[in-house]
Amino acid sequence: RERLVGVLQAGTGTSGGERVLHLLPLDPRMPSCQVSPTSVKGLPAELVAEAAAKEVQTRTLMSARVVDWPVNSPSPVVELRASLGQAGEIESETAAILEMEGVRAEPFSPEVLACLPRGWSISEEDVKERRDFRSARVFSIDPPTAKDLDDALSIEPLAGGGFRVGVH
């Protein structure tokens, strides 16, 4: 996998003068990963201490990428990319899901925006004749190979409990 998210845990011993750290991926299909010595060198002391602690209240979610997986090793070597925040916090967990799935959350680049048609907008007639779902979280369920994105769902909590699922 190109993208991994997990928490750090101290290993035993040192490598290149630095403490050995492991990344325990959130993806249960991935084994424990050895953090590259260069990544360990650049870590803030608080994260190294958190990894070494036997018991901590919260762990920091870390983004990483596999840089090597030696043939005779059960563990890939990873390079740390970024701290995503504390496990259990909605913003951090959302960032972790986006990172693991390769979803880019940054705004579109000027080059992408330049490809959009100029002056396009939704007409008042369309607004009057259609239900407005712009405030709803609607997501495609089309497969990645789809040529048109025409199958979608939405979900919203109801005041009395339960959920409304929209098929679009």
Side-chain angles (χ1 to χ4, degrees):
R1 289 188 68 119
E2 172 65 21
R3 297 172 191 86
L4 291 175
V5 174
V7 295
L8 295 174
Q9 183 179 57
T12 56
T14 60
S15 175
E18 296 295 328
R19 182 171 202 148
V20 172
L21 293 182
H22 295 277
L23 180 81
L24 305 178
L26 298 182
D27 184 341
R29 299 170 297 178
M30 289 296 295
S32 173
C33 305
Q34 183 176 339
V35 177
S36 71
T38 55
S39 285
V40 174
K41 225 176 254 187
L43 273 178
E46 307 86 55
L47 286 176
V48 175
E50 177 186 297
K54 294 283 185 224
E55 293 188 30
V56 291
Q57 296 291 19
T58 59
R59 292 272 184 193
T60 302
L61 293 171
M62 299 295 295
S63 165
R65 70 183 191 93
V66 175
V67 292
D68 188 25
W69 198 331
V71 175
N72 296 328
S73 175
S75 300
V77 177
V78 297
E79 184 176 87
L80 298 176
R81 291 158 51 134
S83 167
L84 301 175
Q86 296 299 304
E89 293 179 358
I90 190 71
E91 296 85 7
S92 304
E93 297 287 345
T94 301
I97 292 169
L98 294 174
E99 175 68 20
M100 285 188 297
E101 299 305 324
V103 176
R104 295 188 342 208
E106 66 267 1
F108 290 111
S109 70
E111 294 81 20
V112 170
L113 294 174
C115 294
L116 295 174
R118 302 274 183 242
W120 183 87
S121 65
I122 300 170
S123 71
E124 287 299 319
E125 188 176 301
D126 280 342
V127 171
K128 287 178 189 172
E129 292 180 10
R130 299 174 182 224
R131 288 186 60 193
D132 188 352
F133 287 98
R134 289 178 287 183
S135 64
R137 175 112 356 147
V138 179
F139 50 94
S140 172
I141 57 170
D142 286 301
T145 57
K147 300 288 186 231
D148 58 346
L149 301 178
D150 59 354
D151 299 314
L153 295 175
S154 64
I155 186 166
E156 68 178 289
L158 299 174
F163 294 90
R164 174 181 292 130
V165 176
V167 179
H168 305 270

